[in-house]
Amino acid sequence: MQWKGLFDAAVVISNDTDLVTPIQMVTTERKKPVFVVCPGRWQMAPKLKAVASHVRHIRPAMLKSALFPDPIPGTTISKPRNW
């Protein structure tokens, strides 16, 4: 299916420079903002920073605070042990 751009903004959670070209396509061809969120303690790759509309870092504590309770109340759903 052809990409139709049926969105207002995109969020990419990565520090992988292989995504520079697709992010650049979205920001320049579709004129859509792309938020690049860098996980972990590393600096954001300069090439990603250069093509992103907005940049943010997400720290392990932020991810931990966003997890569902274990188990999810009223269910038997639990997260993997290594989380």
Side-chain angles (χ1 to χ4, degrees), residues 11-17 19 23 35-45 48 54-64:
V11 176
V12 176
I13 302 173
S14 181
N15 201 22
D16 186 346
T17 57
L19 298 173
I23 291 169
F35 293 77
V36 177
V37 180
C38 180
R41 295 181 197 91
W42 307 278
Q43 292 293 323
M44 182 172 294
L48 278 177
H54 307 279
V55 296
R56 294 273 193 244
H57 276 82
I58 189 163
R59 304 278 182 229
M62 295 164 82
L63 291 173
K64 186 176 180 181

Side-chain angles (χ1 to χ4, degrees), residues 68-78:
F68 288 116
D70 186 32
I72 295 175
T75 73
T76 59
I77 301 170
S78 61

